Amino acid sequence: MTFDTPLVSIIVPIYNAELYLSECLSSIASQTYQNIEVILINDGSTDRSEEIAENICKKDQRFRLINQTNFGVAAARQLGLKNTNGEFVIHCDSDDLMAERAIEYLYKSITDNGSDIAVGAYTGQCSLGDQFITHHTCDKYEFIRNILTGKYHSSLWNKLIRTELCRDISFDKSINYMEDKLFLSKVLKKDGVEISIINENVYYYRLVASSYTNNISSDSISSSIEVTDKVCNIFQDIYSNEFIAHIKNKNKVMVLLNSQKTQRNIFPESTKYLLEDKNIPLKHKLVILSDLLHMSYPIKLYKFLNSTMSKKVI
């Protein structure tokens, strides 16, 4: 079969995703943009994921399965990237869904705008209902700022990227949480990268407690610190010291509120900017200051109250 459109590579890292994998792969197979290759990286799954992946490969020659020992999602993404043949590349998580016209919309945005990266809207799905997330048109540096502050999701699943931008960079195989944010930052730092944004829905992002991204472990906390440090180093020549300190202080708050770790030795250089940072809430400033003063009770109280409030049904 021949196509008059460029080949698009879709990388799917898989780990114990049997509950969602068939539906995920069906959503990819149903793309209106048909000139795709789908690289399935089975990261040492112990459930039926490999069997499910093998079945679709038998039915659809555009799908290809590669098995590896359980090295983590970053290694899986890197192996997928190494095996891509497409002019463009995008990632899809194995517990999510691609909208039927996702690649069509994203590719059209690139051709219409002469861009290198097309970013699409997506639907976040959780037990409380769906939320449609859009992006505002902005220049590259505003886009990066929104990624760094968390206003925009740093995932790779709603971003179609020219593969040539990815060839000389790689995923850090030791980082399996926020690995996509670090990789995307490396891509965005390149000179001359043009971004286009569309507000058509391209993806359904499921908030699944057992997924890679929602498993907040001690290793994940450590990865978040490492990624924040590396990302801030990447962009320190672009943004002000105050802004970089803000990103680091946000990470300090996350570490305190989501683990038993102290933040006293994490980015100590950013603490001097804390009180003047208008974008860090007062309650979070107090949490950081309490930890700096070795006052554990206010932190425990805040966590307890925050947990109690989140459990209330309104």
Side-chain angles (χ1 to χ4, degrees):
M1 183 181 297
T2 59
F3 298 92
D4 58 2
T5 53
L7 180 67
V8 171
S9 299
I10 304 174
I11 298 171
V12 186
I14 301 168
Y15 178 70
N16 288 352
E18 65 177 5
L19 294 178
Y20 309 97
L21 187 57
S22 292
E23 193 176 5
C24 169
L25 300 183
S26 294
S27 76
I28 296 173
S30 301
Q31 288 298 299
T32 54
Y33 188 105
Q34 296 185 29
N35 191 17
I36 60 174
E37 64 168 4
V38 189
I39 304 166
L40 310 176
I41 308 297
N42 176 35
D43 186 36
S45 296
T46 57
D47 63 359
R48 291 182 55 251
S49 292
E50 183 178 350
E51 176 189 343
I52 294 169
E54 285 177 343
N55 287 338
I56 197 165
C57 289
K58 292 175 183 177
K59 297 176 183 177
D60 193 327
Q61 63 181 4
R62 299 174 300 172
F63 285 72
R64 178 160 41 110
L65 174 63
I66 302 174
N67 292 303
Q68 70 170 18
T69 305
N70 180 220
F71 292 131
V73 65
R77 293 194 194 282
Q78 184 60 37
L79 183 58
L81 190 60
K82 181 181 178 181
N83 283 275
T84 57
N85 299 299
E87 185 175 335
F88 301 93
V89 63
I90 193 170
H91 294 245
C92 180
D93 290 350
S94 56
D95 48 11
D96 294 334
L97 300 170
M98 269 192 163
E100 187 177 42
R101 300 179 68 180
I103 305 301
E104 176 191 342
Y105 283 142
L106 292 168
Y107 173 68
K108 185 177 186 300
S109 178
I110 285 178
T111 56
D112 286 351
N113 297 283
S115 59
D116 304 292
I117 303 173
V119 182
Y122 64 94
T123 301
Q125 298 182 318
C126 68
S127 59
L128 298 177
D130 294 353
Q131 184 178 11
F132 185 56
I133 310 296
T134 60
H135 309 79
H136 299 291
T137 303
C138 57
D139 65 24
K140 170 182 169 179
Y141 296 105
E142 183 184 352
F143 182 83
I144 294 172
R145 177 182 284 270
N146 289 337
I147 288 287
L148 296 182
T149 60
K151 182 177 180 180
Y152 291 170
H153 207 299
S154 58
S155 63
L156 297 170
W157 35 249
N158 66 329
K159 301 170 181 71
L160 184 65
I161 304 173
R162 290 190 188 275
T163 308
E164 64 183 34
L165 291 176
C166 306
R167 289 303 185 195
D168 61 344
I169 59 178
S170 60
F171 289 89
D172 188 326
K173 296 180 182 179
S174 68
I175 296 175
N176 291 300
Y177 179 70
M178 292 171 60
E179 81 292 335
D180 46 3
K181 184 174 187 176
L182 179 56
F183 185 86
L184 181 62
S185 295
K186 294 176 183 178
V187 173
L188 292 172
K189 182 62 188 294
K190 292 192 169 188
D191 293 336
V193 173
E194 296 290 338
I195 301 170
S196 59
I197 290 176
I198 60 172
N199 281 325
E200 283 86 5
N201 184 63
V202 301
Y203 200 80
Y204 295 93
Y205 172 46
R206 283 174 168 153
L207 295 172
V208 180
S210 60
S211 73
Y212 280 117
T213 54
N214 289 296
N215 185 18
I216 307 297
S217 63
S218 178
D219 287 343
S220 297
I221 292 292
S222 297
S223 288
S224 79
I225 297 168
E226 186 174 355
V227 169
T228 299
D229 189 39
K230 289 178 180 291
V231 168
C232 285
N233 286 338
I234 289 172
F235 295 115
Q236 65 180 355
D237 61 333
I238 297 176
Y239 299 102
S240 67
N241 291 337
E242 290 79 6
F243 178 73
I244 294 298
H246 168 67
I247 301 306
K248 291 180 176 181
N249 282 329
K250 279 174 62 72
N251 184 256
K252 288 154 75 86
V253 172
M254 191 278 288
V255 169
L256 269 176
L257 298 185
N258 292 280
S259 73
Q260 300 304 312
K261 290 180 179 286
T262 177
Q263 53 76 51
R264 291 174 211 129
N265 298 318
I266 300 172
F267 312 131
E269 72 280 3
S270 69
T271 304
K272 68 179 182 180
Y273 294 94
L274 179 63
L275 295 179
E276 298 175 0
D277 191 337
K278 297 179 180 178
N279 293 307
I280 297 288
L282 177 60
K283 59 186 178 182
H284 290 161
K285 292 179 182 180
L286 293 176
V287 166
I288 290 180
L289 292 174
S290 296
D291 185 60
L292 290 172
L293 296 171
H294 297 262
M295 298 168 60
S296 60
Y297 178 74
I299 300 171
K300 292 178 180 178
L301 179 61
Y302 177 82
K303 288 183 178 181
F304 172 76
L305 293 175
N306 199 46
S307 174
T308 302
M309 290 298 293
S310 65
K311 291 177 181 177
K312 287 185 177 180
V313 177
I314 299 175

